[in-house]
Amino acid sequence: MLQTVSGPITAQEAGRILEHEHVLVGFVEDGKLTPELYNRDEVVTSILPFLLKLAEAGCGTMVDCAPEYLGRDPYILRRLSELAGIHLITNTGFYKKPYLPSFVYEISERDLADIWTREALDGIGESGVYPGFIKIALNDGTAIDDTQLKILLAAMRTSLETGLPIQCHTIGPDIALHAYEIMKRAHFDQERFIWIHAQTFKDTVVYERLAEAGGWISIDSIMKGTYGEHVDLLAQLLDCGVGNRLLLSQDTGWYNVGQHKGGNLRPYHHLFTDFFPAAAASGLDPHWLEQCVTSHAFQAMSRRA
């Protein structure tokens, strides 16, 4: 089952799933983003046409990946879900420096996991909305710093205690391999783990190691102007045998707090209306493309026992 902002759904109800997109994002440092900094009605009005277009393109479910302190707003998501007739999924978890509140640096891994576990079991505040996954980030570079290590370990603990999968912002192969080794030493089931922005790895050996451990590899930022390189990457990943661990999304949307009417919003529907036909015309199997956004995405995002 997938946990949406309106309740759990089955694979049949979920349909096509975009597993890494954004509604509202606010890059306000030190965890100081609050609802007072944006207008909820304006966000809903701005995003709704894009979700209606996505539903028209045959997508049933979209995963919003902004964690708390970076734009997560369960009230907006539930309204949009009702108005657009599309399933939306939100999260528990935190991002990375400098967008963390000060208490994150001070509390223990156990206390951090307790915050997220409570949201998973009791809902997010008074909203009545439950998270469907854990969203975290690793710092960009070659090694995980102490703060992001604590967040990673807390996410692993929360996943074990709640069954929620983890989506992790990961840029580059070195940082991915560091996290991979940490989870391997902890005997953590990496099938619970989704490597976001994996198109930045560019090393088939890395993809093979992550897939062999059970991890899900999310290829995103699939937007106009990138179709050719994404087709080439996907063909390469199929050739090296990791096609059954791949997810596809775009990382689009992005109502940016502080910009006039949210800035330059990017449509959600082009993966289905533009990229899939282009990829099929270039030789990728249309059935496999559909699996990436249906059975693969449902399995990756499902809550485990």
Side-chain angles (χ1 to χ4, degrees):
M1 301 288 281
L2 298 186
Q3 179 64 49
T4 77
V5 297
S6 302
I9 59 172
T10 64
Q12 184 175 1
E13 292 170 314
R16 284 170 159 176
I17 303 164
L18 283 180
E19 50 79 32
H20 190 87
E21 308 294 333
H22 288 280
V23 171
L24 171 72
V25 179
F27 289 100
V28 180
E29 295 186 4
D30 301 323
K32 293 182 179 178
L33 176 65
T34 65
E36 288 71 35
L37 296 179
Y38 55 88
N39 183 298
R40 281 178 169 146
D41 291 335
E42 181 180 287
V43 178
V44 169
T45 300
S46 299
I47 292 291
L48 181 58
F50 295 94
L51 286 177
L52 290 171
K53 193 73 174 177
L54 178 61
E56 185 181 316
C59 183
T61 304
M62 192 183 86
V63 180
D64 178 68
C65 293
E68 188 176 12
Y69 306 113
L70 203 73
R72 183 191 71 175
D73 191 314
Y75 297 97
I76 286 176
L77 296 179
R78 187 162 54 192
R79 284 175 61 191
L80 282 170
S81 179
E82 293 168 353
L83 291 170
I86 195 167
H87 300 293
L88 295 177
I89 297 176
T90 190
N91 61 80
T92 191
F94 297 151
Y95 194 54
K96 61 179 181 176
K97 296 182 288 187
Y99 308 108
L100 299 170
S102 59
F103 75 84
V104 175
Y105 305 107
E106 301 163 1
I107 66 174
S108 68
E109 168 210 324
R110 170 76 265 183
D111 290 339
L112 193 54
D114 284 346
I115 293 172
W116 301 337
T117 298
R118 281 195 298 272
E119 285 196 335
L121 299 179
D122 301 330
I124 299 170
E126 302 299 320
S127 68
V129 170
Y130 289 79
F133 68 107
I134 305 157
K135 172 62 187 298
I136 62 169
L138 301 177
N139 50 290
D140 302 343
T142 58
I144 301 170
D145 66 26
D146 290 344
T147 300
Q148 300 311 130
L149 175 60
K150 179 167 64 173
I151 286 174
L152 173 61
L153 294 174
M156 292 161 57
R157 183 187 294 270
T158 304
S159 178
L160 291 171
E161 293 180 354
T162 66
L164 294 179
I166 301 168
Q167 279 203 23
C168 184
H169 167 108
T170 317
I171 304 296
D174 293 333
I175 204 81
L177 289 176
H178 190 189
Y180 159 87
E181 292 294 344
I182 289 168
M183 289 186 283
K184 183 179 178 181
R185 288 196 299 269
H187 303 289
F188 180 77
D189 178 7
Q190 295 190 38
E191 189 174 353
R192 299 171 178 264
F193 203 85
I194 303 171
W195 299 96
I196 300 300
H197 314 316
Q199 70 276 2
T200 64
F201 298 170
K202 308 295 187 186
D203 184 336
T204 55
V205 173
V206 174
Y207 293 118
E208 290 168 358
R209 289 180 69 182
L210 301 181
E212 185 179 7
W216 292 97
I217 298 168
S218 173
I219 304 298
D220 54 69
S221 297
I222 303 175
M223 290 175 276
K224 289 185 176 181
T226 73
Y227 291 170
E229 63 185 81
H230 274 98
V231 167
D232 291 344
L233 174 61
L234 293 176
Q236 184 181 21
L237 294 177
L238 284 167
D239 286 344
C240 73
V242 303
N244 64 340
R245 308 307 297 171
L246 290 179
L247 311 173
L248 302 177
S249 211
Q250 301 160 118
D251 198 14
T252 54
W254 293 75
Y255 178 103
N256 274 284
V257 175
Q259 297 187 18
H260 179 64
K261 295 190 179 299
N264 182 28
L265 303 179
R266 294 174 290 179
Y268 300 119
H269 65 277
H270 285 159
L271 185 77
F272 304 116
T273 59
D274 297 13
F275 177 71
F276 273 20
S282 297
L284 293 184
D285 180 5
H287 176 66
W288 174 77
L289 291 169
E290 289 291 341
Q291 285 181 315
C292 291
V293 296
T294 53
S295 58
H296 293 189
F298 185 84
Q299 186 179 348
M301 289 297 301
S302 288
R303 190 169 190 162
R304 287 150 176 77

